[in-house]
Amino acid sequence: MRRSLVLAALLALLVAANAGAFERMWEFLDFGAGVLALVSLTATVLWGLAATDRMLLGSGHRLFAQAVHRGTAVGGLGFLVLHIWVKIAEGRTSAVAALVPFTDAGRPLLIGLGTLAGYLFLVAAVTGAVRSAFAARGRSRWWRALHMCAYLAWCAALVHGLRAGRAAAAWAEAGYLLALAGAAVALALRLVVARRTETAAGSRGKDSGRNG
């Protein structure tokens, strides 16, 4: 039974190879891996913002948003690794340029932004995975500062994705611009709410101190 399954699988691979499926797959990965990485990481940023909303979402919805946020982050980093591997394998850039920002011989700025975005996304992912290590008093601000590298990474990735490769369709550029504007508005509202919460907490602390 197992031998027949192995033979059937090998036969299917042989037929697919003769039909040019692998060549087409490679062509798709040349463009699609980067697009999937950018779409996934865009979704990661947007779902991360949704997970912090307390004006419209309840606790159950925020937990769901956090789960989607983590899932799209893992998927985005996976597609990012695949994207880098494909570009190096095709000779579109070098391994050194993929590791050291702004060292590409042809397009140092655009390729360097992609490399920089990769590192910043990695920082955000690691801090998200070890969030409990920042739970001690006084370290939460460090966690926020490091995790917010994702916003810088996303902006760099947008420029890299829309300008380093083939020209994007007008609707794609418009979609990313709308996502960028929406994220900016959501982030601004988040900062305003956080500032008001801190101010209210400080006022309550002063009032309790006076009453005591």
Side-chain angles (χ1 to χ4, degrees), residues 38 42 117 153-163 176-177 179-180:
L38 186 56
T42 297
W154 183 42
C155 293
L158 284 175
V159 177
H160 168 79
L162 293 174
R163 293 291 177 261
Y176 283 121
L177 288 176
L180 184 61

Side-chain angles (χ1 to χ4, degrees), residues 27-160:
E27 292 176 0
F28 167 76
L29 290 178
D30 181 30
F31 175 71
V35 172
L36 290 173
L38 186 56
V39 169
S40 298
L41 294 173
T42 297
T44 300
V45 172
L46 297 178
W47 278 102
L49 284 169
T52 63
D53 178 72
R54 294 182 180 275
M55 293 185 294
L56 300 176
L57 301 182
S59 59
H61 297 107
R62 289 197 299 272
L63 288 174
F64 174 78
Q66 289 173 5
V68 178
H69 170 68
R70 296 189 185 100
T72 53
V74 173
L77 290 175
F79 287 128
L80 179 60
V81 172
L82 180 61
H83 170 63
I84 294 170
W85 175 72
V86 169
K87 293 304 180 183
I88 294 175
E90 288 191 333
R92 301 291 181 87
T93 189
S94 65
V96 174
L99 292 173
V100 183
F102 310 112
T103 58
D104 184 77
R107 294 172 295 176
L109 178 60
L110 292 175
I111 302 300
L113 285 174
T115 302
L116 182 62
Y119 282 126
L120 291 175
F121 273 125
L122 186 60
V123 169
V126 170
T127 54
V130 298
R131 184 173 184 175
S132 58
F134 293 86
R137 185 176 181 181
R139 293 183 179 179
S140 60
R141 291 185 178 181
W142 282 104
W143 182 86
R144 290 192 188 95
L146 290 172
H147 201 64
M148 286 182 72
C149 287
Y151 298 114
L152 295 176
W154 183 42
C155 293
L158 284 175
V159 177
H160 168 79

Side-chain angles (χ1 to χ4, degrees), residues 2-12:
R2 292 182 180 178
R3 291 181 180 178
S4 60
L5 289 175
V6 171
L7 290 175
L10 291 175
L11 180 61

Side-chain angles (χ1 to χ4, degrees), residues 8-26:
L10 291 175
L11 180 61
L13 290 174
L14 181 61
V15 172
N18 288 332
F22 295 125
E23 294 178 2
R24 295 174 184 174
M25 182 181 70
W26 190 260

